[in-house]
Amino acid sequence: MVGYDPGAQGSALSSQEAALAGSAAGMVTRALVSPFDVIKIRFQLQIECVSSQRREGRYWGLFQAARRIHAEEGLFAFWKGHIPAQLLSVCFGAVQFASFECLTEVVHKMTPYESQTAGVHFVCGGVAACSATVVCQPLDTLRTRFAAQGEPKVYRNLRNAVFTMCRSEGVLTFYRGLSPTLVAVFPYAGLQFFFYNVFKKMLDPPSKTGNSGGNLRSLVCGSGAGMISKTITYPFDLFKKRLQVGGFEEARARFGQVRSYRGLVDCAVQIAKEEGVRGFFKGLSPSLVKAALSTGFTFFWYEFFLNAMRNLKERQRENSFTKDAEDS
């Protein structure tokens, strides 16, 4: 079970082990869902005025976008920005799950609340995600820039992107879009952990041994939690992406219209005026597919790796007891 479980103290894992499992889960998941992330970002950055009578954007459907990106930029375009995205996933997974495990343990030991309740998971999951967001925001900005650029490329590689952005835009550019990210990430991650906890208990009652992960139910529960959470908080993800490519208009020009925003409120107002309410949900279809796969696989692999480490510790303990018995 995700979170501190007092019923599994004999095989409890440290924060370092939770961080390792979170990193591994993020790395595997990122490699699998990257194509959907690239397509989602392309939709989010596409400007289409609601008053226009004709289709202005380059992309208007999930499969059409996939075919067009493949035809114009090749297969590897679906993994554009994969290196900063992988660094983001590894870093975010480590900080988020280590923080979450620590927070649920603190709640259990220092408050009257039960650490395995859905409400506790909502709060602890949201706080843990905010911590991870602050740490990892520069990598998220880099990932968005790489996924957004077409051909010819503005940034040759990760090192070139970092130096170019620092020199031309300043260090603070790596934190573009942080405010809508923090506003969105707390309820988004909190709801992920909340619904995962609810679905998990509905479909898979807690095991007395504490071994409950790495199975199909984890994948299904995580997928459902991801889709619900993403739909509720989606507009803030779109605002973040629009703000992150500020100062990057040259690379976006060939994809259609570009806009500059002064901040979160200005971004929301301009989108509402020009693109209507539907503009807040551009790219929702690939985003939901990605959220279902991403959240499902993240919880699946996290519990898989946790159980692998827990089983390894159990075998080492048993071998130690056996050796001590033989020596005596």
Side-chain angles (χ1 to χ4, degrees):
M1 178 69 72
V2 174
Y4 178 75
D5 186 359
Q9 287 184 342
S11 57
L13 297 167
S14 66
S15 296
Q16 292 83 357
E17 290 168 320
L20 179 61
S23 294
M27 182 175 65
V28 175
T29 301
R30 173 62 63 180
L32 295 173
V33 304
S34 180
F36 296 101
D37 205 28
V38 170
I39 295 172
K40 179 200 74 169
I41 290 173
R42 295 293 179 88
F43 273 110
Q44 287 178 324
L45 300 180
Q46 184 167 265
I47 307 294
E48 292 178 276
C49 296
V50 70
S51 59
S52 176
Q53 299 299 313
R54 62 187 182 85
R55 181 175 283 161
E56 299 174 316
R58 295 170 67 85
Y59 312 118
W60 55 83
L62 180 60
F63 295 107
Q64 180 271 341
R67 288 195 300 269
R68 184 157 195 170
I69 292 172
H70 181 269
E72 294 180 348
E73 304 171 51
L75 180 63
F76 291 108
F78 294 107
W79 281 269
K80 277 188 173 180
H82 190 60
I83 293 177
Q86 274 291 11
L87 293 174
L88 170 65
S89 296
V90 169
C91 177
F92 196 94
V95 177
Q96 181 183 34
F97 280 105
S99 300
F100 180 76
E101 298 290 343
C102 285
L103 288 168
T104 52
E105 183 176 359
V106 168
V107 167
H108 175 76
K109 292 182 177 179
M110 301 185 67
T111 74
Y113 298 102
E114 168 58 46
S115 62
Q116 285 295 328
T117 62
V120 168
H121 278 207
F122 172 80
V123 176
C124 293
V127 174
C130 287
S131 302
T133 296
V134 173
V135 173
C136 303
Q137 180 69 10
L139 293 170
D140 192 22
T141 299
L142 286 165
R143 182 278 305 260
T144 299
R145 294 280 183 107
F146 274 104
Q149 70 178 355
E151 300 293 342
K153 295 178 180 177
V154 175
Y155 305 128
R156 297 189 303 275
N157 50 48
L158 183 59
R159 181 180 178 182
N160 173 251
V162 172
F163 285 143
T164 302
M165 290 169 67
C166 283
R167 185 172 60 252
S168 61
E169 303 173 59
V171 175
L172 291 181
T173 196
F174 292 104
Y175 285 90
R176 283 179 181 269
L178 181 60
S179 54
T181 304
L182 290 176
V183 170
V185 77
F186 182 91
Y188 177 55
L191 289 170
Q192 280 184 333
F193 282 95
F194 176 89
F195 284 113
Y196 182 75
N197 179 286
V198 171
F199 294 153
K200 190 77 170 173
K201 287 181 177 179
M202 288 173 57
L203 300 179
D204 189 16
S207 170
K208 294 181 179 179
T209 63
N211 188 350
S212 62
N215 53 42
L216 183 59
R217 287 173 180 169
S218 297
L219 182 62
V220 172
C221 293
S223 296
M227 292 182 70
I228 295 173
S229 305
K230 176 59 70 175
T231 302
I232 294 172
T233 61
Y234 186 77
F236 290 99
D237 188 38
L238 185 136
F239 300 153
K240 178 185 73 172
K241 292 297 187 294
R242 293 285 181 96
L243 292 170
Q244 283 180 325
V245 295
F248 194 56
E249 289 79 11
E250 180 184 347
R252 300 292 310 150
R254 68 185 297 270
F255 290 99
Q257 300 183 54
V258 294
R259 294 288 185 275
S260 295
Y261 306 109
R262 294 189 300 273
L264 173 59
V265 175
D266 181 56
C267 179
V269 170
Q270 283 201 48
I271 292 173
K273 285 182 177 179
E274 296 186 341
E275 304 170 61
V277 176
R278 292 180 61 183
F280 293 127
F281 294 91
K282 282 186 173 178
L284 181 61
S285 296
S287 186
L288 286 180
V289 176
K290 183 236 176 179
L293 294 174
S294 178
T295 309
F297 279 124
T298 295
F299 280 110
F300 172 88
W301 289 112
Y302 178 67
E303 295 207 33
F304 175 87
F305 289 122
L306 276 186
N307 285 325
M309 288 188 286
R310 186 177 288 116
N311 293 335
L312 179 61
K313 289 177 70 174
E314 289 290 345
R315 285 197 296 269
Q316 290 176 339
R317 187 179 293 109
E318 291 174 2
N319 292 338
S320 177
F321 287 153
T322 302
K323 185 177 180 181
D324 289 342
E326 291 176 350
D327 291 342
S328 62

